[in-house]
Amino acid sequence: MERDPFVVIGGDAAGLSAASKFRRETDRDVIVFEKGRWISYAHCGTPYFVEGSVERLTDLLSLSPADAEERGIDLRRGHEVVSVDPDDRSVTVRADGERFEQPYAELLVATGASAASGPFDPALDGVFSLHGLDDAAAIDAYLAPPDDYDRDRLGDGPVDVERVDHNAALAPPDRAAIVGGGYVGVEMAEALSARGVDVHLYQRTDHVLTTFGAAVGERVESHLAERGVAVHTDAEVQELVGDDRVEALRVDGDERPVDMAILGVGIEPNTALLDGTGVDRGPSGAIRTDEYGRTTLPAVYAAGDVATARHAVTGEERWVPLGLTANRAGRAIGSTVAGDPTPVGDVAGTAVVKAFDLECGRVGLVDPDEAREEGFDPVSETITAGSRSGYYPGGDETTVTLLADRTSGRVLGGAIVGRDRAAIRIDTLATAIEADLAVDELERLDLAYAPPFSPVWDPILVAAKVVNGRLDA
Ligand SMILES: Cc1cc2nc3c(=O)[nH]c(=O)nc-3n(C[C@H](O)[C@H](O)[C@H](O)COP(=O)(O)OP(=O)(O)OC[C@H]3O[C@@H](n4cnc5c(N)ncnc54)[C@H](O)[C@@H]3O)c2cc1C
């Protein structure tokens, strides 16, 4: 008798990476249940669609349903998995108003996350989160004057037409509030400015991009201000006000008029389908996984934004919902289930973001207090160095924060900001962290030098020199 299939829940980064790899390695059946109509889409590109630098919504698609079928994947769109029975090894699926049971030999939960709306009413017209292509299409339609809306930008995909039509019929906004200064908030500040909207960014702590550290946050705030974005730090939005459409927001007792709000107040892992199974959870309620992506339920794996992973610096369980983590873990689990056990890899929280002309990166532990809480004795320095030889045109000041442990010398993390290819330099630090390099070893790395690309001493090497000097002191 044919073995039950490998069942995957979720048809995006983690789920389809797993299914594709599995089918490359074996002839066994794999079924992917996706509750929506879109598959294999790039969340990460949605701010750039809204901005206008990505021409069509469908440019953000990678694998088509036909491609998936060609790979031998049994893809079922419009199929929501509502529960899992780990004793029976089956899932309950809802599709077209019906329910059915699907047995599995192995199960991958790759259900991602959903945008949180905090205390705000997301049903008001003009209030949006950005989590998926339908949100991007709705925001784009809302921004356009009704008689100037370019429907061709949607391309030929399964877009939520009713939602688009509703938003396209509304008068375009003059002033938008972005609630939350994380990376999506910063990217959307740039996108909405490009669409001619007066943008106000609200962040309840003292700096935007908190996980990138203060040196990055300060430079981003002044650059956003230079580019016309009003940045309000230490400003907590309490309420969005309006009957049908958002009209104002309440901040620290003040009412400020707006006709659009983007909520960037965080995401939550989609775990409801595992309620009642007894599966272990980790930080933020994400599904606990081991080094092979196995959950605490037999034959059940989890990957991507729904799952935890091991942190490369602390060795502790963390929830770091990012794109490469999802793709990489999915692919590894596809191999493991096909019979070739493959670790999903650690996460270092490596992240990059662009704010107009500024590029920012971060990796590992950036906050000295957090490093102390993790049991390290951090030495932290922030330096500024040129991005190219001083005599060569096009360079910019690049600011690097670097943390190392005084006891072991180990590189713990860092952040970088600058205009001239700063972000990608964070990969040097990510590699140092993965290789467990000490800061003196980082200082001795043979990094590339030629005037158009870097000064003799790359800014990362300058930071390593300075931190290493402090360790010896
Ligand atoms: C605006 C934005 C910008 C981003 N930019 C970056 C970036 O620049 N760099 C970066 O590294 N990361 C970025 N990310 C994060 C990155 O997109 C995610 O980490 C990645 O998409 C996670 O992949 P996933 O497969 O785990 O989840 P998802 O991509 O969310 O896919 C999960 C899928 O599961 C489906 N699903 C959920 N529940 C069920 C169910 N019960 N039954 C069936 N199907 C279900 C969903 O419909 C969805 O299609 C960004 C995210 C957003 C929202």
Side-chain angles (χ1 to χ4, degrees):
M1 200 181 79
E2 174 86 10
R3 238 176 110 181
D4 283 332
F6 174 32
V7 169
V8 174
I9 315 172
D12 193 29
L16 281 178
S17 297
S20 299
K21 181 65 178 165
F22 180 77
R23 282 296 302 166
R24 271 198 292 277
E25 305 293 318
T26 162
D27 287 339
R28 280 186 51 212
D29 291 341
V30 55
I31 302 176
V32 175
F33 291 118
E34 165 54 53
K35 72 175 179 181
R37 305 306 305 174
W38 298 103
I39 61 151
S40 193
Y41 46 91
H43 281 292
C44 317
T46 52
Y48 305 104
F49 169 74
V50 173
E51 183 187 57
S53 50
V54 171
E55 203 178 328
R56 282 179 210 283
L57 193 62
T58 42
D59 293 345
L60 301 178
L61 300 176
S62 174
L63 213 61
S64 70
D67 295 334
E69 262 169 49
E70 222 165 86
R71 289 183 182 187
I73 297 169
D74 180 354
L75 173 68
R76 317 256 189 102
R77 293 185 292 159
H79 283 62
E80 180 177 9
V81 175
V82 290
S83 62
V84 176
D85 183 339
D87 298 326
D88 191 41
R89 298 207 178 187
S90 68
V91 294
T92 303
V93 186
R94 187 163 55 200
D96 299 326
E98 307 277 323
R99 283 174 183 243
F100 66 91
E101 312 292 314
Q102 171 63 54
Y104 60 79
E106 303 89 1
L107 177 69
L108 169 61
V109 180
T111 48
S114 298
S117 47
F120 310 110
D121 179 3
L124 278 180
D125 278 340
V127 178
F128 302 91
S129 299
L130 181 59
H131 206 273
L133 301 201
D134 286 317
D135 288 341
I139 293 170
D140 174 57
Y142 186 71
L143 287 166
D147 51 2
D148 197 26
Y149 173 55
D150 181 5
R151 183 169 288 275
D152 288 349
R153 288 197 72 217
L154 295 174
D156 182 20
V159 75
D160 182 344
V161 176
E162 211 178 299
R163 192 170 166 212
V164 165
D165 286 345
H166 175 78
N167 282 287
L170 298 169
D174 295 318
R175 176 180 288 185
I178 294 182
V179 185
Y183 72 87
V184 174
V186 167
E187 288 173 352
M188 286 306 286
E190 179 178 347
L192 297 190
S193 296
R195 297 290 294 263
V197 181
D198 175 21
V199 179
H200 289 248
L201 176 65
Y202 291 90
Q203 166 67 12
R204 66 179 171 187
T205 60
D206 54 350
H207 290 298
V208 300
L209 296 177
T210 43
T211 61
F212 288 66
V216 174
E218 279 165 17
R219 204 161 155 195
V220 170
E221 286 151 25
S222 57
H223 186 59
L224 288 174
E226 272 165 32
R227 301 300 295 263
V229 174
V231 181
H232 308 268
T233 50
D234 289 315
E236 179 150 7
V237 178
Q238 279 114 15
E239 195 186 351
L240 300 178
V241 182
D243 291 329
D244 299 319
R245 180 174 172 160
V246 65
E247 289 162 13
L249 43 80
R250 221 183 298 282
V251 188
D252 302 329
D254 261 11
E255 210 165 275
R256 305 185 187 174
V258 291
D259 40 21
M260 180 174 197
I262 303 278
L263 303 179
V265 293
I267 58 170
E268 293 159 354
N270 293 326
T271 62
L273 74 169
L274 290 174
D275 286 352
T277 59
V279 71
D280 277 7
R281 289 159 197 262
S284 304
I287 304 301
R288 171 160 298 152
T289 56
D290 70 5
E291 61 177 317
Y292 290 97
R294 291 178 294 222
T295 71
T296 50
L297 301 174
V300 179
Y301 297 75
D305 285 5
V306 75
T308 65
R310 190 176 63 187
H311 196 270
V313 177
T314 66
E316 301 291 328
E317 182 182 33
R318 285 284 179 106
W319 184 51
V320 184
L322 285 172
L324 177 63
T325 314
N327 281 278
R328 199 181 55 173
R331 185 180 154 85
I333 291 166
S335 290
T336 299
V337 175
D340 176 17
T342 307
V344 295
D346 290 347
V347 294
T350 316
V352 285
V353 59
K354 172 169 134 27
F356 292 96
D357 300 333
L358 266 191
E359 298 183 15
C360 319
R362 59 94 55 221
V363 63
L365 304 179
V366 176
D367 176 1
D369 289 339
E370 188 189 359
R372 264 186 287 278
E373 275 164 30
E374 295 289 350
F376 298 106
D377 180 5
V379 173
S380 170
E381 285 290 340
T382 297
I383 62 95
T384 296
S387 64
R388 306 181 187 195
S389 298
Y391 53 82
Y392 194 89
D396 184 40
E397 288 193 337
T398 304
T399 301
V400 179
T401 298
L402 181 65
L403 264 77
D405 179 41
R406 185 182 294 281
T407 316
S408 61
R410 186 175 164 205
V411 176
L412 299 178
I416 191 161
V417 59
R419 287 169 206 252
D420 185 29
R421 292 157 305 127
I424 205 69
R425 287 188 150 108
I426 205 69
D427 284 344
T428 306
L429 280 190
T431 308
I433 284 174
E434 184 63 33
D436 267 341
L437 291 194
V439 73
D440 61 332
E441 293 171 305
L442 175 63
E443 187 189 335
R444 286 196 299 272
L445 283 185
D446 183 17
L447 298 189
Y449 155 62
F453 305 110
S454 171
V456 176
W457 292 93
D458 180 282
I460 297 275
L461 296 182
V462 175
K465 259 201 299 190
V466 173
V467 171
N468 197 25
R470 284 247 346 251
L471 289 185
D472 293 341

mmCIF file of all heavy atoms in Angstrom, residues 44-78:
data_model
loop_
_atom_site.group_PDB
_atom_site.id
_atom_site.type_symbol
_atom_site.label_atom_id
_atom_site.label_comp_id
_atom_site.label_asym_id
_atom_site.label_seq_id
_atom_site.Cartn_x
_atom_site.Cartn_y
_atom_site.Cartn_z
ATOM 1 N N CYS A 44 8.200 40.727 0.856
ATOM 2 C CA CYS A 44 9.282 41.720 0.993
ATOM 3 C C CYS A 44 9.222 42.785 -0.097
ATOM 4 O O CYS A 44 9.734 43.890 0.082
ATOM 5 C CB CYS A 44 10.641 41.026 0.943
ATOM 6 S SG CYS A 44 10.660 39.510 1.915
ATOM 7 N N GLY A 45 8.629 42.449 -1.227
ATOM 8 C CA GLY A 45 8.570 43.416 -2.322
ATOM 9 C C GLY A 45 7.347 44.315 -2.273
ATOM 10 O O GLY A 45 7.240 45.269 -3.070
ATOM 11 N N THR A 46 6.416 44.055 -1.343
ATOM 12 C CA THR A 46 5.153 44.812 -1.376
ATOM 13 C C THR A 46 5.324 46.315 -1.122
ATOM 14 O O THR A 46 4.645 47.111 -1.780
ATOM 15 C CB THR A 46 4.099 44.202 -0.421
ATOM 16 O OG1 THR A 46 4.669 44.038 0.876
ATOM 17 C CG2 THR A 46 3.597 42.863 -0.931
ATOM 18 N N PRO A 47 6.233 46.750 -0.214
ATOM 19 C CA PRO A 47 6.395 48.207 -0.070
ATOM 20 C C PRO A 47 6.841 48.863 -1.381
ATOM 21 O O PRO A 47 6.477 50.006 -1.674
ATOM 22 C CB PRO A 47 7.473 48.345 1.013
ATOM 23 C CG PRO A 47 7.402 47.068 1.792
ATOM 24 C CD PRO A 47 7.037 46.019 0.784
ATOM 25 N N TYR A 48 7.628 48.110 -2.169
ATOM 26 C CA TYR A 48 8.152 48.684 -3.419
ATOM 27 C C TYR A 48 7.104 48.685 -4.529
ATOM 28 O O TYR A 48 7.177 49.478 -5.466
ATOM 29 C CB TYR A 48 9.453 47.956 -3.815
ATOM 30 C CG TYR A 48 10.411 48.028 -2.643
ATOM 31 C CD1 TYR A 48 10.631 46.936 -1.823
ATOM 32 C CD2 TYR A 48 10.982 49.252 -2.283
ATOM 33 C CE1 TYR A 48 11.441 47.038 -0.695
ATOM 34 C CE2 TYR A 48 11.783 49.365 -1.167
ATOM 35 C CZ TYR A 48 12.004 48.259 -0.376
ATOM 36 O OH TYR A 48 12.782 48.386 0.745
ATOM 37 N N PHE A 49 6.122 47.791 -4.412
ATOM 38 C CA PHE A 49 4.967 47.873 -5.321
ATOM 39 C C PHE A 49 4.165 49.137 -4.993
ATOM 40 O O PHE A 49 3.806 49.908 -5.882
ATOM 41 C CB PHE A 49 4.089 46.623 -5.190
ATOM 42 C CG PHE A 49 2.766 46.779 -5.885
ATOM 43 C CD1 PHE A 49 2.680 46.741 -7.268
ATOM 44 C CD2 PHE A 49 1.603 47.013 -5.152
ATOM 45 C CE1 PHE A 49 1.461 46.930 -7.921
ATOM 46 C CE2 PHE A 49 0.383 47.193 -5.799
ATOM 47 C CZ PHE A 49 0.311 47.158 -7.182
ATOM 48 N N VAL A 50 3.901 49.354 -3.697
ATOM 49 C CA VAL A 50 3.132 50.544 -3.300
ATOM 50 C C VAL A 50 3.876 51.804 -3.735
ATOM 51 O O VAL A 50 3.285 52.746 -4.278
ATOM 52 C CB VAL A 50 2.882 50.554 -1.769
ATOM 53 C CG1 VAL A 50 2.247 51.871 -1.341
ATOM 54 C CG2 VAL A 50 2.011 49.359 -1.361
ATOM 55 N N GLU A 51 5.182 51.793 -3.554
ATOM 56 C CA GLU A 51 6.002 52.953 -3.931
ATOM 57 C C GLU A 51 5.941 53.230 -5.424
ATOM 58 O O GLU A 51 6.003 54.392 -5.854
ATOM 59 C CB GLU A 51 7.449 52.666 -3.522
ATOM 60 C CG GLU A 51 8.423 53.783 -3.772
ATOM 61 C CD GLU A 51 9.837 53.328 -3.493
ATOM 62 O OE1 GLU A 51 10.282 52.335 -4.115
ATOM 63 O OE2 GLU A 51 10.492 53.947 -2.655
ATOM 64 N N GLY A 52 5.858 52.148 -6.212
ATOM 65 C CA GLY A 52 5.821 52.313 -7.665
ATOM 66 C C GLY A 52 7.076 51.810 -8.350
ATOM 67 O O GLY A 52 7.142 51.790 -9.571
ATOM 68 N N SER A 53 8.095 51.404 -7.572
ATOM 69 C CA SER A 53 9.317 50.939 -8.240
ATOM 70 C C SER A 53 9.175 49.501 -8.741
ATOM 71 O O SER A 53 9.961 49.069 -9.585
ATOM 72 C CB SER A 53 10.547 51.098 -7.340
ATOM 73 O OG SER A 53 10.295 50.546 -6.083
ATOM 74 N N VAL A 54 8.216 48.743 -8.226
ATOM 75 C CA VAL A 54 7.846 47.451 -8.832
ATOM 76 C C VAL A 54 6.579 47.723 -9.635
ATOM 77 O O VAL A 54 5.582 48.211 -9.101
ATOM 78 C CB VAL A 54 7.575 46.377 -7.750
ATOM 79 C CG1 VAL A 54 6.982 45.117 -8.361
ATOM 80 C CG2 VAL A 54 8.860 46.060 -6.990
ATOM 81 N N GLU A 55 6.651 47.420 -10.926
ATOM 82 C CA GLU A 55 5.585 47.882 -11.821
ATOM 83 C C GLU A 55 4.253 47.182 -11.567
ATOM 84 O O GLU A 55 3.224 47.827 -11.407
ATOM 85 C CB GLU A 55 6.039 47.636 -13.257
ATOM 86 C CG GLU A 55 5.332 48.518 -14.246
ATOM 87 C CD GLU A 55 5.857 48.257 -15.653
ATOM 88 O OE1 GLU A 55 7.052 47.928 -15.794
ATOM 89 O OE2 GLU A 55 5.051 48.361 -16.577
ATOM 90 N N ARG A 56 4.290 45.850 -11.505
ATOM 91 C CA ARG A 56 3.027 45.098 -11.376
ATOM 92 C C ARG A 56 3.048 44.214 -10.141
ATOM 93 O O ARG A 56 4.085 43.655 -9.778
ATOM 94 C CB ARG A 56 2.842 44.181 -12.585
ATOM 95 C CG ARG A 56 2.367 44.923 -13.781
ATOM 96 C CD ARG A 56 2.210 43.999 -14.974
ATOM 97 N NE ARG A 56 2.447 44.755 -16.180
ATOM 98 C CZ ARG A 56 1.578 45.590 -16.716
ATOM 99 N NH1 ARG A 56 0.407 45.753 -16.182
ATOM 100 N NH2 ARG A 56 1.880 46.279 -17.798
ATOM 101 N N LEU A 57 1.849 44.044 -9.566
ATOM 102 C CA LEU A 57 1.722 43.194 -8.383
ATOM 103 C C LEU A 57 2.219 41.778 -8.677
ATOM 104 O O LEU A 57 2.898 41.159 -7.855
ATOM 105 C CB LEU A 57 0.250 43.157 -7.957
ATOM 106 C CG LEU A 57 -0.042 42.585 -6.582
ATOM 107 C CD1 LEU A 57 0.608 43.402 -5.481
ATOM 108 C CD2 LEU A 57 -1.543 42.489 -6.346
ATOM 109 N N THR A 58 1.898 41.294 -9.874
ATOM 110 C CA THR A 58 2.256 39.911 -10.209
ATOM 111 C C THR A 58 3.764 39.741 -10.448
ATOM 112 O O THR A 58 4.244 38.611 -10.535
ATOM 113 C CB THR A 58 1.457 39.439 -11.440
ATOM 114 O OG1 THR A 58 1.440 40.503 -12.395
ATOM 115 C CG2 THR A 58 0.041 39.082 -11.058
ATOM 116 N N ASP A 59 4.518 40.868 -10.534
ATOM 117 C CA ASP A 59 5.979 40.739 -10.596
ATOM 118 C C ASP A 59 6.518 40.141 -9.298
ATOM 119 O O ASP A 59 7.671 39.682 -9.244
ATOM 120 C CB ASP A 59 6.650 42.107 -10.822
ATOM 121 C CG ASP A 59 6.340 42.684 -12.191
ATOM 122 O OD1 ASP A 59 5.865 41.922 -13.055
ATOM 123 O OD2 ASP A 59 6.558 43.895 -12.394
ATOM 124 N N LEU A 60 5.698 40.179 -8.238
ATOM 125 C CA LEU A 60 6.151 39.680 -6.935
ATOM 126 C C LEU A 60 5.931 38.174 -6.776
ATOM 127 O O LEU A 60 6.208 37.621 -5.722
ATOM 128 C CB LEU A 60 5.424 40.420 -5.807
ATOM 129 C CG LEU A 60 5.607 41.945 -5.795
ATOM 130 C CD1 LEU A 60 4.812 42.567 -4.663
ATOM 131 C CD2 LEU A 60 7.088 42.301 -5.641
ATOM 132 N N LEU A 61 5.414 37.545 -7.825
ATOM 133 C CA LEU A 61 5.189 36.097 -7.741
ATOM 134 C C LEU A 61 6.426 35.358 -8.229
ATOM 135 O O LEU A 61 7.109 35.807 -9.146
ATOM 136 C CB LEU A 61 3.988 35.692 -8.600
ATOM 137 C CG LEU A 61 2.659 36.347 -8.206
ATOM 138 C CD1 LEU A 61 1.561 35.940 -9.177
ATOM 139 C CD2 LEU A 61 2.280 35.966 -6.779
ATOM 140 N N SER A 62 6.659 34.213 -7.611
ATOM 141 C CA SER A 62 7.811 33.436 -8.047
ATOM 142 C C SER A 62 7.321 32.177 -8.778
ATOM 143 O O SER A 62 7.323 32.117 -9.996
ATOM 144 C CB SER A 62 8.645 33.129 -6.802
ATOM 145 O OG SER A 62 9.671 32.287 -7.087
ATOM 146 N N LEU A 63 6.817 31.203 -8.038
ATOM 147 C CA LEU A 63 6.337 29.960 -8.647
ATOM 148 C C LEU A 63 4.851 30.091 -8.967
ATOM 149 O O LEU A 63 4.079 30.520 -8.115
ATOM 150 C CB LEU A 63 6.519 28.871 -7.585
ATOM 151 C CG LEU A 63 6.850 27.458 -7.982
ATOM 152 C CD1 LEU A 63 8.176 27.412 -8.720
ATOM 153 C CD2 LEU A 63 6.926 26.602 -6.703
ATOM 154 N N SER A 64 4.428 29.714 -10.159
ATOM 155 C CA SER A 64 2.990 29.719 -10.469
ATOM 156 C C SER A 64 2.395 28.372 -10.052
ATOM 157 O O SER A 64 3.132 27.388 -9.883
ATOM 158 C CB SER A 64 2.786 29.933 -11.966
ATOM 159 O OG SER A 64 3.205 28.771 -12.650
ATOM 160 N N PRO A 65 1.060 28.280 -9.931
ATOM 161 C CA PRO A 65 0.448 26.980 -9.638
ATOM 162 C C PRO A 65 0.848 25.927 -10.679
ATOM 163 O O PRO A 65 1.092 24.768 -10.338
ATOM 164 C CB PRO A 65 -1.058 27.282 -9.683
ATOM 165 C CG PRO A 65 -1.161 28.729 -9.292
ATOM 166 C CD PRO A 65 0.061 29.371 -9.896
ATOM 167 N N ALA A 66 0.964 26.346 -11.952
ATOM 168 C CA ALA A 66 1.368 25.382 -12.995
ATOM 169 C C ALA A 66 2.800 24.896 -12.753
ATOM 170 O O ALA A 66 3.099 23.706 -12.913
ATOM 171 C CB ALA A 66 1.249 26.030 -14.364
ATOM 172 N N ASP A 67 3.689 25.836 -12.343
ATOM 173 C CA ASP A 67 5.080 25.420 -12.029
ATOM 174 C C ASP A 67 5.087 24.396 -10.900
ATOM 175 O O ASP A 67 5.842 23.414 -10.931
ATOM 176 C CB ASP A 67 5.927 26.613 -11.556
ATOM 177 C CG ASP A 67 6.120 27.667 -12.624
ATOM 178 O OD1 ASP A 67 6.053 27.317 -13.810
ATOM 179 O OD2 ASP A 67 6.319 28.852 -12.250
ATOM 180 N N ALA A 68 4.253 24.663 -9.880
ATOM 181 C CA ALA A 68 4.212 23.748 -8.726
ATOM 182 C C ALA A 68 3.750 22.360 -9.180
ATOM 183 O O ALA A 68 4.334 21.344 -8.795
ATOM 184 C CB ALA A 68 3.289 24.305 -7.643
ATOM 185 N N GLU A 69 2.727 22.341 -10.004
ATOM 186 C CA GLU A 69 2.233 21.050 -10.507
ATOM 187 C C GLU A 69 3.301 20.330 -11.312
ATOM 188 O O GLU A 69 3.493 19.130 -11.193
ATOM 189 C CB GLU A 69 0.999 21.270 -11.369
ATOM 190 C CG GLU A 69 -0.287 21.037 -10.590
ATOM 191 C CD GLU A 69 -1.487 21.508 -11.371
ATOM 192 O OE1 GLU A 69 -1.597 21.142 -12.553
ATOM 193 O OE2 GLU A 69 -2.294 22.272 -10.792
ATOM 194 N N GLU A 70 4.011 21.123 -12.128
ATOM 195 C CA GLU A 70 5.085 20.527 -12.933
ATOM 196 C C GLU A 70 6.152 19.872 -12.062
ATOM 197 O O GLU A 70 6.781 18.891 -12.445
ATOM 198 C CB GLU A 70 5.731 21.634 -13.760
ATOM 199 C CG GLU A 70 6.037 21.221 -15.174
ATOM 200 C CD GLU A 70 6.323 22.452 -15.999
ATOM 201 O OE1 GLU A 70 7.480 22.882 -15.993
ATOM 202 O OE2 GLU A 70 5.370 23.004 -16.599
ATOM 203 N N ARG A 71 6.333 20.436 -10.867
ATOM 204 C CA ARG A 71 7.307 19.843 -9.938
ATOM 205 C C ARG A 71 6.733 18.617 -9.225
ATOM 206 O O ARG A 71 7.376 18.051 -8.358
ATOM 207 C CB ARG A 71 7.721 20.871 -8.886
ATOM 208 C CG ARG A 71 8.574 21.962 -9.451
ATOM 209 C CD ARG A 71 9.028 22.930 -8.389
ATOM 210 N NE ARG A 71 9.801 23.990 -9.015
ATOM 211 C CZ ARG A 71 10.449 24.929 -8.361
ATOM 212 N NH1 ARG A 71 10.436 24.941 -7.038
ATOM 213 N NH2 ARG A 71 11.121 25.853 -9.007
ATOM 214 N N GLY A 72 5.492 18.281 -9.540
ATOM 215 C CA GLY A 72 4.893 17.098 -8.912
ATOM 216 C C GLY A 72 4.262 17.393 -7.568
ATOM 217 O O GLY A 72 4.026 16.485 -6.772
ATOM 218 N N ILE A 73 3.988 18.675 -7.306
ATOM 219 C CA ILE A 73 3.368 19.061 -6.027
ATOM 220 C C ILE A 73 1.852 19.089 -6.216
ATOM 221 O O ILE A 73 1.355 19.703 -7.161
ATOM 222 C CB ILE A 73 3.873 20.461 -5.593
ATOM 223 C CG1 ILE A 73 5.384 20.426 -5.344
ATOM 224 C CG2 ILE A 73 3.117 20.943 -4.356
ATOM 225 C CD1 ILE A 73 6.014 21.803 -5.181
ATOM 226 N N ASP A 74 1.144 18.413 -5.320
ATOM 227 C CA ASP A 74 -0.326 18.434 -5.365
ATOM 228 C C ASP A 74 -0.773 19.668 -4.564
ATOM 229 O O ASP A 74 -0.895 19.629 -3.341
ATOM 230 C CB ASP A 74 -0.840 17.124 -4.747
ATOM 231 C CG ASP A 74 -2.363 17.048 -4.748
ATOM 232 O OD1 ASP A 74 -3.020 18.033 -5.117
ATOM 233 O OD2 ASP A 74 -2.885 15.983 -4.346
ATOM 234 N N LEU A 75 -0.964 20.771 -5.299
ATOM 235 C CA LEU A 75 -1.244 22.060 -4.653
ATOM 236 C C LEU A 75 -2.742 22.286 -4.573
ATOM 237 O O LEU A 75 -3.426 22.229 -5.595
ATOM 238 C CB LEU A 75 -0.594 23.182 -5.473
ATOM 239 C CG LEU A 75 -0.915 24.610 -5.065
ATOM 240 C CD1 LEU A 75 -0.305 24.942 -3.717
ATOM 241 C CD2 LEU A 75 -0.408 25.592 -6.130
ATOM 242 N N ARG A 76 -3.258 22.562 -3.376
ATOM 243 C CA ARG A 76 -4.702 22.800 -3.222
ATOM 244 C C ARG A 76 -4.901 24.192 -2.647
ATOM 245 O O ARG A 76 -4.761 24.404 -1.433
ATOM 246 C CB ARG A 76 -5.306 21.766 -2.268
ATOM 247 C CG ARG A 76 -4.808 20.338 -2.508
ATOM 248 C CD ARG A 76 -5.819 19.477 -3.205
ATOM 249 N NE ARG A 76 -5.350 18.094 -3.211
ATOM 250 C CZ ARG A 76 -5.786 17.159 -2.397
ATOM 251 N NH1 ARG A 76 -6.720 17.432 -1.506
ATOM 252 N NH2 ARG A 76 -5.301 15.940 -2.462
ATOM 253 N N ARG A 77 -5.197 25.140 -3.524
ATOM 254 C CA ARG A 77 -5.483 26.501 -3.041
ATOM 255 C C ARG A 77 -6.910 26.577 -2.521
ATOM 256 O O ARG A 77 -7.745 25.742 -2.864
ATOM 257 C CB ARG A 77 -5.279 27.503 -4.178
ATOM 258 C CG ARG A 77 -3.831 27.599 -4.572
ATOM 259 C CD ARG A 77 -3.619 28.664 -5.612
ATOM 260 N NE ARG A 77 -4.221 28.336 -6.888
ATOM 261 C CZ ARG A 77 -4.527 29.230 -7.826
ATOM 262 N NH1 ARG A 77 -4.286 30.505 -7.619
ATOM 263 N NH2 ARG A 77 -5.062 28.854 -8.967
ATOM 264 N N GLY A 78 -7.199 27.592 -1.697
ATOM 265 C CA GLY A 78 -8.540 27.719 -1.136
ATOM 266 C C GLY A 78 -8.851 26.597 -0.151
ATOM 267 O O GLY A 78 -10.022 26.305 0.095
#
